[in-house]
Amino acid sequence: MTSCRDRRRTWPVAAVLVAAAVLTAGGVLKWSVSSAADDNPNGRMISAVNPIGNTVHTAEQIRQVMHTRPGVAYDEATAQEDVRRLNNTKWFDPGHIQILTVKDADGRVTVLVRVVELTGIVQDVQFLGAQHGYGDLAKLSGVRKGEPMNPMANELGRKAILRKYQEDGRYFSSVELLEGNKPTDTRVIFRVIEGPKVKVAGIDFYGVDFASVSRLRTQLVTKRQLAGILGGQFNPITMEVDRQKLIEYYEGLGYLDVQVTPEVVQTEDVGHVRIAYHIAEGKQYKVEAKEILGVRSFPLDKLSPLADDMKPGERYNRYLSEANKARLRNYYNVRGYQVAIEEHRIAKPEDPNVVQVQYEVKNDGGTPDRVGRIILDGNTVTRDRVILNQLSLRPGQILDYSAIEDARMRLSRLGIFDPEDPPNIEVVQNEFDSPLKDVKVRVRETRTGSFMLGGSFNTNQGVTGNITVNERNFDILRWPTSLDDFREGRAFRGGGQEFRIEAAPGTQFQRYSATWRQPYLLDTPFGLTVSGYYYQRWYAEYNEERVGGRFTLDRRLDSIWRASVTTRVEGVNINNIPLNAPFSIAKDYGQHFLLGIRPGVTRDTRDSYVYPTTGSVFDAGFEEVLGSYTFPVGTVEYTKFFSNKFLAREDGSGKHVFGLRTQLSVAGSNAPVYERFYGGGIRSMRGFTFRGVGPFENGYATGGTFAWLNTVEYQIPIMANDKFHFVTFCDHGTVEKNFSITNYRVAVGAGLRLNIPALGPLPLALDFAVPLNKGPYDHGQLINISVGVFGSQ
């Protein structure tokens, strides 16, 4: 109930209210200000907030909902949000919530909140004809018994129910509001006609002359039903998404006037529809010239090379243009300037096939921004330093805006925050020091533990099971202090460490391990990984058991270089050696102790870890092994990938990839049989069995101290979605007793790479290979089965 004091304050401005009501009538969310143009209330201090028209809810209840309050500066954006907040209470008629301001004599403003309250009460809610469970329809509609009767909210609820049915594939469903569309109603009744679930029988394209229909299909979210039973659920919302994706694809090919019109075509079967996309491609544009506008802070000759993609005379390519804009924006961002790059495409009437491209830099000027406070929100379990270690920003330094997106991606990749509500980083003005900008990081924590069961098969290791328990936000120092720490998920959690226990029993080998990793040791760029393991493998020559631990200290030097030092401590047991085994194997029978220290460096410039098409990987290391035997081990491996735009589709997909790999390994002559090198099998030399290449004595593989293994492979896509590839390859090299080449092996073959979603991102690899040149006792093998592609990790 409005107080007498509130009423007295509102009467003097009645005339203003009447005028404002005339100006603002008819809308859902309305906003009015003083009539004088020079009396802008924005920024003025608020003297009072007075609700008007409320009889059921008190003025104080209304004020508590709002963020506009006496004693603070008036802000239009906040007032508009207050209208939304008041509307969400469902206390008022959404079409009659208005906020007005009146200038006071002392320069302050009085805020008037005019409302029309809803007085009817919902006594019953019914959903007639709803047969299938799609969650709580009452919750979906937002209508509850005992709430004010709100016809507009009821209509929104009707639309929400209809949208849910259509999203679930019931395209022909309908929802009608029988009662509840008038303020005087006492019941809300929805009549639902569900209709059948609709599947997509097929997708057709009309008007396509230049583009590949197969490639157009890969752009679509909508998929047709396979074999009449799998997938194909129709959701009309995805048609607009498909339309935008098709337009973007055509713009990437230079068709800037393309028009795409989707159509739902009914079939004789009411449970199926066909989707037709009518495409008017238009003409393909070429770039006449490029220009950068709005530059103030830097010389133009510094920026021009950054927009060098898509040269004059070449066809326009939306993706290359976006890359130009990203480089220009990044140049400013790393130097503390938050700018926007707007693209303008200007057609030439005298030449209808060319376009001039302009990149306009917006908001260029002033001094570089610097970091103020770093504010963290939402991490109730995760320690602050876990988040701060992902930020390359510190108070007082130049604010690198490009690092904001990098940090957001790194936080997302940690796997400790909710992917449905991913981490968000916002830059806001510092309220104490205007030259500084605060960085607000908001996260929402989620479950970080996992338990996985699986299995695998390949021709090197046979059938292997896998049982894994993994915690991605482990904290070895956060011991529980009560049972509540376990119930609330605080015990041993929050440190950003990873703890993994894995069991892999198999037909030819088994492995059990526990691994702990701290990616930022003592909040430094160094990472520490500690693992303990038990390993057992059965070979034709002997059985091998290893139990031990590894300690790795690593540091990423820059975006491509990484250095590490690994120490391993192992106990090795060699047993079950055949009676006729040669002395080079039999002498290593029994228990052995090894201590190895290996420094190494890695350089990785691949464009993808799964399907690399360009770049290279270089890895080198040297290990000194002590213990039962003393010997050195040195390894160097280099892999290089080549691709060319002329051996690809015009849209850049479908690249042919040529790969080269060479690996050189040398060990001391005192290396025992279980530390020597062996060749053959997957990622070694296809065409031979696992450990089927190398020195042999009495038909047993004895391993070598020198190995040189090489691969040449060519990969060609078969399908338009680049999920199925054909490869041809040549593996060649040797494994020798000493540093020499006496039996050089060569094998050639071909294979297939098929991406199966159930196997994860790496494809199934099926290779057929035959040796052209073998050693005297080498063992050949025609088929190799594994997961992954050449050069993937």
Side-chain angles (χ1 to χ4, degrees):
M1 183 102 36
T2 307
S3 67
C4 294
R5 183 168 57 89
D6 288 335
R7 290 197 192 98
R8 287 196 299 272
R9 184 173 294 175
T10 58
W11 283 118
V13 295
V16 176
L17 291 177
V18 173
V22 174
L23 292 173
T24 61
V28 177
L29 304 178
K30 293 300 179 183
W31 169 248
S32 300
V33 296
S34 302
S35 57
D38 58 347
D39 288 342
N40 187 350
N42 213 38
R44 295 180 181 273
M45 296 300 295
I46 299 173
S47 60
V49 177
N50 296 330
I52 300 173
N54 54 308
T55 58
V56 177
H57 299 89
T58 67
E60 186 59 31
Q61 286 177 315
I62 296 174
R63 293 190 191 104
Q64 288 178 354
V65 174
M66 301 175 62
H67 288 188
T68 300
R69 294 185 174 90
V72 300
Y74 178 81
D75 179 69
E76 287 189 12
T78 302
Q80 291 172 347
E81 281 296 306
D82 285 338
V83 174
R84 182 186 60 81
R85 294 184 185 98
L86 291 170
N87 184 58
N88 288 342
T89 63
K90 299 182 181 179
W91 297 343
F92 312 111
D93 185 341
H96 296 85
I97 301 175
Q98 302 164 4
I99 295 183
L100 310 131
T101 61
V102 177
K103 183 179 177 181
D104 297 340
D106 58 2
R108 297 185 298 172
V109 293
T110 297
V111 178
L112 308 175
V113 186
R114 181 177 182 274
V115 297
V116 174
E117 290 183 306
L118 297 169
T119 57
I121 300 299
V122 177
Q123 298 179 6
D124 188 25
V125 182
Q126 298 181 26
F127 301 90
L128 306 180
Q131 300 175 0
H132 297 83
Y134 289 105
D136 187 353
L137 291 182
K139 181 178 181 181
L140 188 65
S141 67
V143 181
R144 301 287 188 278
K145 290 182 181 180
E147 289 188 346
M149 177 62 69
N150 190 330
M152 183 171 292
N154 297 340
E155 174 61 19
L156 293 176
R158 183 195 70 81
K159 292 180 179 180
I161 295 172
L162 178 60
R163 184 167 56 250
K164 176 61 176 175
Y165 272 98
Q166 291 187 342
E167 288 177 355
D168 288 340
R170 299 185 184 274
Y171 177 64
F172 298 111
S173 63
S174 65
V175 180
E176 183 181 359
L177 184 61
L178 297 181
E179 295 185 33
N181 48 14
K182 298 187 295 293
T184 55
D185 288 339
T186 59
R187 300 189 304 174
V188 179
I189 301 179
F190 299 95
R191 181 168 64 188
V192 179
I193 300 177
E194 292 184 341
K197 277 202 169 185
V198 179
K199 301 289 185 177
V200 179
I203 301 175
D204 304 307
F205 294 89
Y206 298 97
V208 178
D209 295 322
F210 176 82
S212 164
V213 171
S214 297
R215 283 296 298 164
L216 292 180
R217 292 186 189 278
T218 65
Q219 311 301 311
L220 303 180
V221 176
T222 304
K223 304 298 181 183
R224 68 180 181 87
Q225 190 175 31
L226 297 177
I229 55 174
L230 299 176
Q233 180 171 296
F234 175 56
N235 183 349
I237 296 176
T238 63
M239 288 195 300
E240 177 59 25
V241 178
D242 292 340
R243 190 182 75 86
Q244 291 297 331
K245 285 182 172 291
L246 290 172
I247 290 174
E248 291 177 5
Y249 179 79
Y250 266 100
E251 288 185 348
L253 298 175
Y255 290 86
L256 304 181
D257 301 327
V258 64
Q259 296 182 5
V260 179
T261 304
E263 179 188 7
V264 179
V265 181
Q266 297 188 21
T267 65
E268 294 181 359
D269 178 6
V270 71
H272 289 82
V273 296
R274 297 188 70 87
I275 309 299
Y277 293 95
H278 300 274
I279 300 176
E281 292 181 333
K283 55 182 177 291
Q284 189 179 45
Y285 285 83
K286 291 187 177 181
V287 177
E288 181 192 53
K290 291 182 298 183
E291 188 178 8
I292 304 176
L293 307 176
V295 178
R296 296 185 180 88
S297 300
F298 303 103
L300 191 59
D301 57 359
K302 294 286 187 182
L303 299 177
S304 295
L306 301 175
D308 199 41
D309 282 353
M310 200 173 61
K311 296 179 174 56
E314 296 180 350
R315 68 171 174 84
Y316 178 86
N317 187 317
R318 175 185 178 135
Y319 305 110
L320 294 181
S321 186
E322 290 295 330
N324 287 339
K325 291 164 60 178
R327 284 191 294 270
L328 289 171
R329 186 167 50 250
N330 185 70
Y331 187 89
Y332 277 89
N333 287 348
V334 298
R335 291 163 175 80
Y337 294 89
Q338 188 177 26
V339 301
I341 309 296
E342 292 187 0
E343 178 184 353
H344 307 287
R345 300 190 291 251
I346 303 175
K348 293 289 188 179
E350 63 275 12
D351 191 346
N353 294 320
V354 301
V355 64
Q356 182 179 358
V357 180
Q358 294 180 344
Y359 299 114
E360 183 180 1
V361 182
K362 308 291 287 188
N363 305 320
D364 183 6
T367 59
D369 294 332
R370 291 187 175 272
V371 181
R373 297 173 300 171
I374 297 178
I375 305 168
L376 307 183
D377 179 45
N379 55 316
T380 58
V381 174
T382 305
R383 297 183 188 271
D384 288 352
R385 68 168 185 267
V386 175
I387 299 174
L388 294 175
N389 283 332
Q390 302 302 320
L391 300 175
S392 56
L393 302 172
R394 294 296 181 266
Q397 72 180 39
I398 294 290
L399 176 52
D400 180 357
Y401 283 95
S402 66
I404 299 294
E405 179 61 19
D406 291 342
R408 188 194 65 78
M409 294 179 63
R410 285 196 297 269
L411 287 170
S412 298
R413 286 196 295 262
L414 289 177
I416 63 177
F417 302 118
D418 190 352
E420 301 297 326
D421 185 13
N424 180 61
I425 304 179
E426 181 184 8
V427 178
V428 298
Q429 182 65 50
N430 182 278
E431 59 188 84
F432 303 110
D433 192 348
S434 58
L436 300 179
K437 296 292 181 71
D438 292 339
V439 178
K440 289 186 176 181
V441 184
R442 183 196 58 77
V443 298
R444 182 178 179 182
E445 294 174 321
T446 188
R447 296 181 60 181
T448 54
S450 61
F451 175 77
M452 295 174 286
L453 291 173
S456 63
F457 169 79
N458 66 48
T459 47
N460 280 7
Q461 300 175 345
V463 178
T464 305
N466 186 271
I467 305 171
T468 302
V469 178
N470 190 60
E471 170 57 55
R472 299 183 299 275
N473 197 13
F474 189 72
D475 191 341
I476 198 171
L477 298 179
R478 182 173 279 177
W479 289 75
T481 57
S482 66
L483 291 177
D484 288 339
D485 287 344
F486 285 103
R487 285 194 295 264
E488 298 174 8
R490 293 192 302 266
F492 297 108
R493 292 185 67 242
Q497 306 154 13
E498 184 172 7
F499 182 64
R500 184 182 185 92
I501 300 175
E502 186 174 10
T507 57
Q508 298 181 25
F509 95 107
Q510 57 181 335
R511 182 185 69 251
Y512 305 90
S513 64
T515 303
W516 173 82
R517 174 164 175 77
Q518 168 57 274
Y520 293 92
L521 183 63
L522 301 177
D523 297 325
T524 69
F526 291 91
L528 176 64
T529 304
V530 179
S531 63
Y533 51 87
Y534 170 77
Y535 167 93
Q536 188 177 39
R537 177 81 196 226
W538 300 277
Y539 302 109
E541 295 79 12
Y542 54 85
N543 290 350
E544 176 183 330
E545 297 179 16
R546 292 185 188 237
V547 59
R550 287 180 182 264
F551 308 86
T552 300
L553 186 68
D554 63 84
R555 176 173 181 176
R556 182 167 290 279
L557 305 177
D558 56 27
S559 60
I560 61 175
W561 282 97
R562 184 173 64 89
S564 64
V565 177
T566 299
T567 300
R568 60 168 172 147
V569 181
E570 294 180 333
V572 183
N573 180 25
I574 302 298
N575 55 63
N576 201 26
I577 298 177
L579 295 176
N580 62 337
F583 177 73
S584 58
I585 296 176
K587 69 181 182 65
D588 292 326
Y589 176 85
Q591 300 281 348
H592 307 272
F593 172 76
L594 295 180
L595 171 63
I597 302 176
R598 183 187 187 273
V601 294
T602 302
R603 181 182 185 273
D604 192 344
T605 61
R606 290 172 297 174
D607 60 342
S608 170
Y609 294 130
V610 179
Y611 277 105
T613 62
T614 61
S616 62
V617 182
F618 171 79
D619 183 84
F622 176 83
E623 182 178 31
E624 182 65 28
V625 182
L626 309 171
S628 300
Y629 294 90
T630 301
F631 58 94
V633 179
T635 58
V636 177
E637 182 174 359
Y638 181 72
T639 307
K640 175 68 176 176
F641 304 93
F642 302 89
S643 59
N644 191 290
K645 66 178 181 179
F646 298 107
L647 292 174
R649 303 185 188 99
E650 188 169 2
D651 61 5
S653 66
K655 292 181 179 179
H656 294 209
V657 181
F658 180 68
L660 298 173
R661 180 183 70 93
T662 184
Q663 181 187 59
L664 183 66
S665 305
V666 181
S669 59
N670 198 35
V673 66
Y674 52 85
E675 289 289 312
R676 296 177 197 153
F677 307 122
Y678 298 84
I682 303 164
R683 295 182 179 86
S684 177
M685 290 192 69
R686 289 159 290 188
F688 299 89
T689 62
F690 177 63
R691 290 172 52 125
V693 173
F696 289 87
E697 294 183 36
N698 299 341
Y700 293 104
T702 58
T705 60
F706 170 73
W708 186 30
L709 303 175
N710 307 277
T711 294
V712 179
E713 185 167 298
Y714 192 72
Q715 177 179 281
I716 304 172
I718 297 176
M719 298 180 63
N721 61 5
D722 291 345
K723 301 296 185 183
F724 191 29
H725 292 78
F726 169 79
V727 300
T728 181
F729 56 86
C730 175
D731 291 347
H732 56 100
T734 187
V735 179
E736 305 286 353
K737 287 185 177 181
N738 47 47
F739 195 82
S740 64
I741 299 178
T742 57
N743 292 293
Y744 199 81
R745 285 82 167 179
V746 178
V748 296
L752 300 172
R753 305 289 182 267
L754 177 61
N755 187 276
I756 301 175
L759 297 179
L762 296 176
L764 176 67
L766 176 63
D767 292 324
F768 302 85
V770 293
L772 298 182
N773 192 33
K774 299 171 57 177
Y777 299 103
D778 291 347
H779 305 301
Q781 179 174 283
L782 176 64
I783 301 175
N784 286 274
I785 301 174
S786 63
V787 174
V789 299
F790 172 73
S792 65
Q793 292 183 356

